Amino acid sequence: MRKGFSAFNVTALVLGFTFLYVPILLLVIYSFNASRLVTVWGGFSTEWYWKLLENDQLLDAAWVTLRVAFISASVATVLGTLAAIALTRYGRFTGRTLFSGMIYAPLVMPDVITGLSLLLLFVAVNFDRGFWTITLAHITFTMCFVCVVVQSRLVTFDRSLEEAALDLGCPPLRTFFVITLPIILPAVVSGWMLAFTLSLDDLVIASFTTGPGATTLPMRIYSQVRLGVTPEINAICTILIAIVTVVVVSASIVTKRQEIERQKAERLAAAGVME
Amino acid sequence: MSSGVAEKTQTTIGGIRRTFAPWTDPSAVHLIRYRNVTKRFGSFTAVDDLSLDIYEREFFALLGPSGCGKTTLMRMLAGFEEPTSGQITLAGEDLVGTPPYRRPVNMMFQSYALFPHMSVWDNIAFGLKQDGMGKPDIAVRVEEMLRLVKLEAFARRKPHQLSGGQRQRVALARSLAKRPKVLLLDEPLGALDKKLREETQFELMDIQMKLGMTFLIVTHDQEEAMTVADRIAVMDHGKLIQVAPPAVIYEQPASRYVAGFVGDVNLMAGRVESNQNGLVTVRTGSGGDSAGMRLAVAQEVQTGAGDEVWVAVRPEKVRVDREPPADTNVNCVSGEVWDIGYLGDLSVYHIELADGTRVKAVRPNLTRMVERPITWEDKVWVSWTPDAGVVLTR
């Protein structure tokens, strides 16, 4: 069978990509619009990017967002990795099914419900809402994504590597840091990047759990858009797109390279003759 | 060691190891002792009340089908499994409860388990670093190990840049580097092709003799066990069936199971007619005295007239002639060639006897001939000498 381009395939591809990327492309193009009017092209300009630098509100929001994303991604990576290890290693403990179901639940839970339940919790324990409540909420919902990514790597992890380290006199904790972690590191890193981007563009959960003085960038953009889309918003969104693209692309490169490396090793093993 | 332990020496003739048999010496001290060891996984009993002594400088093989408990037995020595009951001692010290990283035992894994993010050099040095050995000493030891396995040129490579045979040798070097009291080998050659496997078997024996270490190998490949081991333990269902040197396992198997598991065998069931002066006469078949063949086996065995026994004859010990052999009439029956397998060096003849039993005979092809003198459906005579067969009571 020919795997070429049939008219149907090309049409489907073009339609799909148009649907996905035309809005984003429009936003990026209009961020370089010289005109104040969002829908009228007035020539190329980087004016709105310079204007951004003077907009303290937006810059503050960006700074809060980055800090929340960094802290929550890091904590979520540690917790998610530990959960993944528990789930893959201790095969038959009581309540395993319940536990693994519970770790996956936030993946499919509507953000509104996650946000609302966290808000209720913070109110109930009388936790002052602000930066730390957003961070905690983000740790909670990104942790399960990290867990899933790391778990998928651990399933194919050869346990005899750890046994070999133990056998050669390396105690269990050190074995984890010198053998297990370096080998699963690519998965941990891409888990971190996933958590980072998820936290970066979350609006719903952040809106529920925020308090005075802690406004994230998506929240700021959303509130400004209600007053009308300004070219400045287009500019900051373009920057956000750039950041997310870089993070996601590098995460996939890390995974891809690891995959290629593994396939190469397998090929060599298959052709494994002496010398 | 005490003077009671026989030195492992090499005779000049063909390099065949002789005079090493501490298991026959009552004053010899065991290095490894399993005492009434049982291991259960849930309701499954992997090792069943097993006792075994292994001596210093011995190359010991655990042989059996998968699931017979041989790997579990080895993993209990390494410390990856704890026995449900019983005692395991190494050089007199009780090992039960000691974690794997504190046991003076190293293991070579079936999958090699080389650390993929470390070079060959770092893989070999790993165990030495854990012991806190000084850097210069580590370098000396690693170089020595690389020389031993002939991988000096590959020290800086990563495992995935090596061939299967090279990886196998890195794994061996890594497990030898700490000079363990016992080296455990878990199906070490399973991933290699046949030719390389045979070469490596001899390399392993060579290294074991050079270092004077105790090796414990787990394998399901009977030829491998026969080649490398001083003694073989044949296991089945968590129990030891027979523990003996390869030649004894092959020539005097303890049971039908051992006879069938190690090598090929013709088994004929029958009843003992007489047993005197080291000559056992067996009447095959379950019918009356007139039916069946009368077989003679020259063997000292505890059995009396009327006992149900089996006569086992290895195919290579069966003679095939076109005419009734003039020199003998014991263990001599006529039959018809049913099938022939030509293997180049050998030919395998399946011969159907008058009573329907099929006997397998293996004959070396000593001359270059395309047309063999014996062919399909020929009437032939099969015979074997009384000292070729063996009587099995179970």
Side-chain angles (χ1 to χ4, degrees), chain A residues 6-36:
Chain A
S6 72
F8 176 78
N9 283 349
V10 174
T11 320
L13 197 73
V14 169
L15 275 176
F17 273 92
T18 311
F19 192 71
L20 282 173
Y21 286 101
V22 163
I24 295 173
L25 205 65
L26 273 179
L27 184 138
V28 173
I29 291 169
Y30 275 109
S31 74
F32 294 104
N33 192 355
S35 163
R36 229 206 122 77

Side-chain angles (χ1 to χ4, degrees), chain B residues 337 339-344 346-350 361-363 365 376:
Chain B
V337 176
D339 213 346
I340 304 175
Y342 174 71
L343 306 179
L346 303 168
S347 286
V348 183
Y349 300 92
H350 293 261
V362 173
R363 298 277 89 195
N365 297 322
W376 280 266

Side-chain angles (χ1 to χ4, degrees), chain B residues 87-164:
Chain B
Q87 203 185 26
I88 302 170
T89 56
L90 177 66
E93 242 177 278
D94 193 353
L95 280 183
V96 175
T98 311
Y101 50 93
R102 293 215 191 90
R103 295 191 184 200
V105 164
N106 285 134
M107 181 156 164
M108 185 186 150
F109 289 79
Q110 186 173 10
S111 64
Y112 306 150
L114 298 178
F115 306 133
H117 56 303
M118 295 183 191
S119 66
V120 168
W121 207 95
D122 288 329
N123 262 284
I124 299 174
F126 185 84
L128 305 170
K129 281 182 191 158
Q130 304 310 316
D131 282 359
M133 197 190 233
K135 273 207 172 128
D137 293 339
I138 290 181
V140 170
R141 182 73 65 85
V142 173
E143 295 298 330
E144 182 194 330
M145 286 299 135
L146 285 169
R147 259 199 313 282
L148 185 71
V149 296
K150 305 183 190 84
L151 282 175
E152 297 101 315
F154 298 90
R156 295 289 148 214
R157 294 229 192 150
K158 289 278 180 69
H160 68 81
Q161 295 165 315
L162 299 175
S163 72

